[in-house]
Amino acid sequence: MAVTGGLADACSSSGGGNSPGAVTDLVDTGRYPLDAPGGVEWVAAVRDARAELAADGCCVLRGFVRPEYLDTLRAEGEELAPRAYYTVERVNAYNIPLDTELPEGHPGRIVLERGNAFVARDLIPADTLIQRIYTSPVFQRFVADCFELDELHEFTDPLAGLCLNVVAPGMSHPWHYDTNEFTVSMLTKLPEAGGEFEYCPAIRTRDAENFDDVRDVLEGKGDRLIRRLDLRPGDLQLFQGRFALHRVSPVRGAVQRHTAIFAYSETAGVIGTAERSRQLFGRVLPEHHQTAAALRGDRLLD
């Protein structure tokens, strides 16, 4: 298993090695050896992650962040959460306009309510734990190896890339697909109840939407297709959400659910569209008017 050349130098100069405040101080390197890139333990951890991803498109690295940093992780999220752009929208699982002409019985005609919120990257200080993890070269190399990618890049988008997802009590992030083939996230605050991550692995493929199965899930008749994760703060989740319908179930109680979203791309220079930026963050910057929609590697509906 090859490791990108020059990684050791990049890590030592950019917070990924053993320098003060390095990401290796935050991570349980006994289980996830970010302090020994390309070593035997690194290879074993990557191999295990790849096996889980191959099995159902999801891998959870339990206790990725050391226990002594979990209170800081939670407190930083609580301070950031009021900066989120909150909105409640009527959507469908494909995130296409609700007035799109679709045949009778199509699952895209089922209307869902989305009530989650996002703190944009430019509102997250550089010294927060999630920024330090997101920008770490050795973390990025580890994630790329787990997904079997030659390299990955932070988004150039000044608002997206790193976000804090906030789901308030009574709200949910309803069933949907990701536009990227891979997603990296970390729960930072657990709600009192609800807020489970639920997913339907490989419910569709590059060549088949499998609308009947999707409709069953959206209508509450597809429990046979759903898997549920018991995520804990500090767990790192690697997920292939392009082909897996998934959601965060409604949060119950009085406590919000917080998740850090680490967005990367295989290509450099990725910036979201103005429409998507307005939807997620409530604002648009000049950079968003200079980009076109991302090209897909498939012909799926979303």
Side-chain angles (χ1 to χ4, degrees), residues 91-103 105-112 211 214-215 218 301:
V91 297
N92 54 42
Y94 300 94
N95 285 312
I96 59 175
L98 295 182
D99 59 359
T100 301
E101 291 189 16
L102 299 170
H106 192 291
R109 298 181 61 146
I110 297 175
V111 178
L112 309 168
F211 290 133
V214 173
R215 185 171 57 250
L218 299 182
L301 188 56

Side-chain angles (χ1 to χ4, degrees), residues 110-253:
I110 297 175
V111 178
L112 309 168
E113 185 177 273
R114 179 170 60 203
N116 59 334
F118 291 92
V119 179
R121 184 179 184 180
D122 65 346
L123 300 178
I124 302 175
D127 61 352
T128 56
L129 300 190
I130 57 176
Q131 279 276 18
R132 289 164 59 189
I133 293 170
Y134 178 65
T135 58
S136 164
V138 72
F139 176 75
Q140 294 172 12
R141 184 65 256 161
F142 180 73
V143 169
D145 279 359
C146 289
F147 282 118
E148 302 186 59
L149 303 173
D150 291 336
E151 60 182 5
L152 52 73
H153 303 269
E154 299 173 29
F155 278 20
T156 303
D157 193 310
L159 302 183
L162 173 67
C163 307
L164 184 75
N165 177 231
V166 178
V167 186
M171 299 289 100
S172 71
H173 192 174
W175 293 108
H176 66 285
Y177 295 102
D178 292 338
T179 52
N180 284 356
E181 290 197 16
F182 64 93
T183 306
V184 184
S185 61
M186 178 183 292
L187 187 71
T188 65
K189 183 178 179 180
L190 197 66
E192 289 179 353
E196 291 182 295
F197 185 84
E198 303 179 337
Y199 67 109
C200 307
I203 195 171
R204 71 177 181 179
T205 68
R206 291 182 182 276
D207 304 311
E209 292 275 12
N210 297 325
F211 290 133
D212 290 343
D213 283 346
V214 173
R215 185 171 57 250
D216 280 351
V217 172
L218 299 182
E219 292 179 346
K221 299 180 293 186
D223 201 64
R224 70 190 186 281
L225 301 166
I226 299 173
R227 299 187 186 181
R228 296 174 175 85
L229 291 181
D230 179 24
L231 294 170
R232 309 297 299 178
D235 290 347
L236 185 71
Q237 182 182 1
L238 309 179
F239 185 58
Q240 295 169 318
R242 181 71 179 138
F243 309 108
L245 189 69
H246 55 285
R247 74 166 183 169
V248 173
S249 68
V251 168
R252 304 191 304 276

